[in-house]
Amino acid sequence: MIRNDWKIEEIQEIYNTPLLELIYRAATIHRQYNDTGEVQVCTLLSIKTGGCSEDCAYCPQAARYSTGVDVHALMQKDQVLEYAAKAKAAGSTRFCMGAAWREVRDNRDFDRVIDMVKGVNEMGMEVCCTLGMLTETQAKKLADAGLYAYNHNLDTSKEYYTEIITTRTYNDRLETLDNVRKAGISVCCGGIVGLGETHADRVKMLHTLSTLPEHPESVPINALVAVAGTPLENNQKVDVWDMVKMIATARILMPKAMVRLSAGRATMSVSDQALCFMAGANSIFTGEKLLTTPNPSFDEDQAMFNLLGITPREAFKEEKELVG
């Protein structure tokens, strides 16, 4: 049963379920609503890198931190399409383009991104963007160009948010999600584990996501990749069991969502990732980089899929099932 009226206390109880029982419950629900033998394969490309005016404490692309990330202007369309073609050939069905902007501006760069969206869409891939805040009008332009999904993470709970970011508000993020939804674009929204938040903050973030009028179609669960030069550079590596707990709870709360095992996979073993898939994860990013941080290569992921008997989810599957 799909619910949008979860109570904090209910989510807390689910989150605190003994781990093996939690995995079993999540796996049961996952099997009920999804094909457990397939995983959505996505590729993320940074089309404009560094120099961001935001102060996100985890991000190596913030201009105010010295992290060794070079600033690169917006890529050319042909470069982006070449990368997308390689990703498609390697098995990716969703291609996400990220730009280190605080918000989308109505200028030539946005026009160029619109053109990139059209180009990738014509390749038969689901196109996703993460460009910062955007208005309803801008979201509509992206939708008209063929954008399938828009990523805009909450990162953490509303209560802990100001400890991580001060250059935009939590409500700014929610407003962007609302604009995306109004434009008819699929919502991709999750958070990051390991920012220094409490377990209560994690539960509150999941509560916000699971009580939106419509659940996000994609829910990325990221493990912090601590980068030297950022305020969180000394944060401890997230334990795999924390990731499993978050994924399993998200799966129970949002049964039909694509729960993405996202940043942090580079330091996870195949066994760790298998546990996450068992707990309900059914989407990954593949390719050697997630914007600027390390990620397993296409070949490594293909070997893991072969071992676990996983096949890539086809593009636009949900729409094809509705038509069929």
Side-chain angles (χ1 to χ4, degrees), residues 68 74 83 90 102 208 245 259-260 267:
L74 189 65
Y83 198 93
R102 181 177 185 273
T208 300
K245 187 181 282 282
V259 178
R260 183 172 300 127
T267 59

Side-chain angles (χ1 to χ4, degrees), residues 7 34 38 42 51 69 80 88 121 138 148 150 207-208 221-222 246 255 280 315-316:
K7 307 299 182 189
N34 304 287
E38 66 177 21
C42 316
V69 171
V80 173
K88 182 178 182 180
N121 183 56
Q138 291 164 340
Y148 186 85
Y150 195 84
H207 177 258
T208 300
I221 303 296
N222 297 276
M246 284 292 289
F316 307 106

Side-chain angles (χ1 to χ4, degrees), residues 13-25 245 248:
E13 184 177 354
I14 293 169
Y15 184 85
N16 288 330
T17 299
L19 196 57
L20 292 180
E21 178 62 28
L22 177 62
I23 294 172
Y24 175 77
R25 182 176 171 188
K245 187 181 282 282

Side-chain angles (χ1 to χ4, degrees), residues 290-311:
L290 284 187
L291 297 179
T292 60
T293 55
N295 195 57
S297 69
F298 292 116
D299 290 343
E300 289 175 292
D301 284 333
Q302 185 58 59
M304 176 176 69
F305 276 25
N306 290 339
L307 176 65
L308 300 179
I310 291 172
T311 57

